[in-house]
Amino acid sequence: RAVATMLGYSSTDELVGKTVLDFVPLDERPRIVQRIAGVMQGRAAGLMEENFVRRDGSLVLVEVQAASFSWHGKTAVQVMVRDIGARKQAEKQMQEAAEQYRRLTELSPDGIAVHQDGRVVLVNPAGARTLGYSEPAELVGRPVLELVHPDDRLRVIERISRTLKEGRPGEMNEERFVRKDGSFVP
């Protein structure tokens, strides 16, 4: 029933008698025929992304997995199909948002750093320059508190704890950071 609905049919009866190739775009059929032949011969067919043709001619992006089995004494192929269009769209939007964030941080004249579990995971070029490093990668993986002036560390720990506990951005304040050469920068 789920496959019928996904493909735009009102009942499963409308699918009976059709072949998988009835739902595959013409240019993809030779590859699918080879895949089906391999499954019929017992070769594993892992999870793949395919386009299927709906009743109205539009395409739906699906995940397909196939396996052979015995059906009334003959080899048959069972095909599991899942519509992944919404997931792929969400993934695309997330990638676009991540790219926008990356560009924003890379181009910012202000230093930006992200830390997680006490370690630096991202620093933009301006932040690296402020701390005397030529490449942001030199800072990635370092303990964040190593970069904070020893006299400011307790305050920073308290601010981070409060921010995590309250789930909102921390307030702006002045801190001193340790530069690569050991000097301090406010």
Side-chain angles (χ1 to χ4, degrees), residues 102-167:
R102 186 195 63 76
R103 278 192 306 243
L104 177 67
T105 58
E106 295 262 329
L107 298 174
S108 175
D110 296 322
I112 298 173
V114 176
H115 58 89
Q116 184 176 33
D117 298 326
R119 298 216 173 257
V120 176
V121 294
L122 179 142
V123 178
N124 71 343
R129 281 191 305 275
T130 298
L131 296 177
Y133 292 85
S134 56
E135 294 293 325
E138 294 179 78
L139 291 158
V140 173
R142 300 219 17 218
V144 71
L145 290 178
E146 276 185 9
L147 304 173
V148 176
H149 187 286
D151 294 344
D152 294 344
R153 287 179 183 162
L154 183 58
R155 221 172 12 143
V156 169
I157 291 168
E158 289 170 352
R159 183 175 49 80
I160 292 169
S161 296
R162 191 171 46 253
T163 298
L164 291 172
K165 181 181 175 185
E166 295 173 1

Side-chain angles (χ1 to χ4, degrees), residues 47-100:
L47 202 58
M48 294 190 61
E49 294 179 7
E50 303 286 350
N51 283 307
F52 272 20
V53 180
R54 289 186 172 121
R55 184 178 198 169
D56 65 5
S58 65
L59 297 178
V60 59
L61 183 61
V62 296
E63 259 179 357
V64 180
Q65 190 165 16
S68 63
F69 67 104
S70 179
W71 180 263
H72 299 293
K74 292 184 177 180
T75 301
V77 176
Q78 180 180 21
V79 179
M80 284 72 63
V81 182
R82 176 183 305 149
D83 182 345
I84 59 171
R87 184 182 85 204
K88 286 296 187 177
Q89 182 62 30
E91 288 172 1
K92 181 181 175 193
Q93 289 172 342
M94 285 176 53
Q95 287 172 344
E96 289 170 356
E99 178 60 21
Q100 288 175 344

